[in-house]
Amino acid sequence: MPIIKSAIERAKTNVKANERNSAQLSSMRTAVKKFEKAVTNHDDNAAELYKAASSAVDRAASKGLIKTNKASRDKSRMAARLAKANA
């Protein structure tokens, strides 16, 4: 346990940031899973879910939760799956 005041404050800040980041990452993963499930089940709302998942991935990348290249790769793979499902 930290003794110095600034270290105590920093520890509190880290806990808050960790909770915020975990929630954001979880919501991104949930959006992607919903899209994947919709594509697998040939649902009609796959395009809407793609848009939501793509937005969630972009948001996570902008916050620094995932790297930009991973975001691009994930979006590209989702777009390819959507195109294949619609073909």
Side-chain angles (χ1 to χ4, degrees), residues 3-55:
I3 297 170
I4 297 170
K5 185 178 179 186
S6 61
I8 292 169
E9 291 170 0
R10 194 69 203 149
K12 287 180 186 176
T13 305
N14 288 340
V15 168
K16 286 182 184 178
N18 189 347
E19 289 172 359
R20 190 178 325 112
N21 291 342
S22 297
Q24 183 80 36
L25 207 52
S26 176
S27 66
M28 181 204 74
R29 288 180 181 141
T30 302
V32 171
K33 284 179 187 175
K34 282 182 182 177
F35 167 74
E36 294 291 337
K37 188 174 181 183
V39 170
T40 303
N41 295 336
H42 305 292
D43 291 344
D44 294 333
N45 64 345
E48 295 171 18
L49 291 173
Y50 167 74
K51 196 170 182 181
S54 178
S55 175

Side-chain angles (χ1 to χ4, degrees), residues 72-83:
S72 297
R73 182 176 67 238
D74 288 350
K75 287 171 53 180
S76 175
R77 286 177 180 170
M78 286 191 295
R81 282 204 68 187
L82 183 63

